[in-house]
Amino acid sequence: MESSLSKQIVFSYLSGQATPIEIQLVDDWLKDPANFEVFCVYLLEWERIHSQFTPDYESAIQKFWGRLDHPESNIQPVPGKSPAGKFRIRGKWFLLAACFAIVIAGSWSMKDELLYRTIRTSYGEISHHVLPDGSGVTLNANSSLRLPRFGFNNGVREVWLNGEAAFSVLHTQTDQRFVVKTPKEFQVEVLGTEFSVFARKRGAKVVLNSGKIRVDYKKQGRPTQLTMKPGDLLTLDQVGEVQLQTTESPKEHSAWKERRFVFDATPVSEICQLLEENFGVLVWPSTQEIAERTITGNFETRTSGELLSILREVFSLETMKKQDTLILYQR
């Protein structure tokens, strides 16, 4: 987001320390509607830096909606005079209201853009990030993580995962909860631990390396909770059935961080799904017999071609391209 006017001049304008020339520059700049979105971002940042309290953004938005629904309850103008050359209170609140109007427009899309940011990885990409609280997250390929743009507030630390990620969560002095939400109608709640979460179309999986976590999900439409201990593996299939078992090597379930695939009697059909999820490559077994073949081993692969080569060599298969899909057939 670029601007022809520097942030420093806008900050001087908001703090009442701008020169008459700078005030005129900002006034003229604001006459162009294309600059108003940038001004709103600057204004929200300036308010955050100079605020005397931790703002509750969600509550403020809800109150704004209430004032729209009940105009008679609007706050009355604040009495008092504004010094000459200062940013007028009435004008400031008008601009704040206009910023909120932009936030509300378009079914909250602008609100989400201002208050949240999304980290994404493309096919074949793995990336590591440090969250605002110092916790770490590694995103697998074709995944996204949504988190607050201005850091976690004093309540729950919430992030939204679509895809696969490994978390290393720091414990806070205030025992602040950390919650990973997913589109699979389940969430993981933790205080301080290492775990990985898989949430894609074909199901979900949670593996706990250390610490203690609680998984909230729905069982037959009713909210259900399950507490996991280190070494536990929880799986959720497409119809919502949950299974809890123990794994001797929980870290192997996040071997993808090292560009490794660990297979334990894994069927070819599941490997085809991995190829689509991680690399965007569509692969289809030509027969049910090929789909049900299994493979066990630890393979380091960085591309879809390397993984396909393993399937060809192990099972004596060949590939034939049909439109946008690679068909596996017996050599």
Side-chain angles (χ1 to χ4, degrees), residues 132-150:
D133 64 339
S135 299
V137 58
T138 303
L139 275 182
N140 199 2
N142 185 30
S143 301
S144 65
L145 187 73
R146 181 171 173 262
L147 65 154
R149 184 181 296 276
F150 302 111

Side-chain angles (χ1 to χ4, degrees), residues 30-94:
L30 284 173
K31 291 178 182 179
D32 184 355
N35 296 325
F36 205 72
E37 179 185 346
V38 181
F39 179 80
C40 287
V41 174
Y42 288 166
L43 179 57
L44 289 173
E45 182 178 345
W46 186 86
E47 288 287 341
R48 176 172 174 267
I49 294 173
H50 296 84
S51 63
Q52 302 300 314
F53 64 97
T54 302
D56 186 343
Y57 299 107
E58 296 292 339
S59 176
I61 294 292
Q62 294 296 333
K63 288 180 179 178
F64 185 80
W65 270 113
R67 289 171 188 165
L68 286 181
D69 294 334
H70 305 284
E72 67 278 1
S73 63
N74 286 344
I75 297 177
Q76 297 299 318
V78 179
K81 296 181 179 180
S82 300
K86 299 280 186 176
F87 183 72
R88 295 183 180 276
I89 294 178
R90 181 182 300 176
K92 179 180 177 181
W93 281 108
F94 170 79

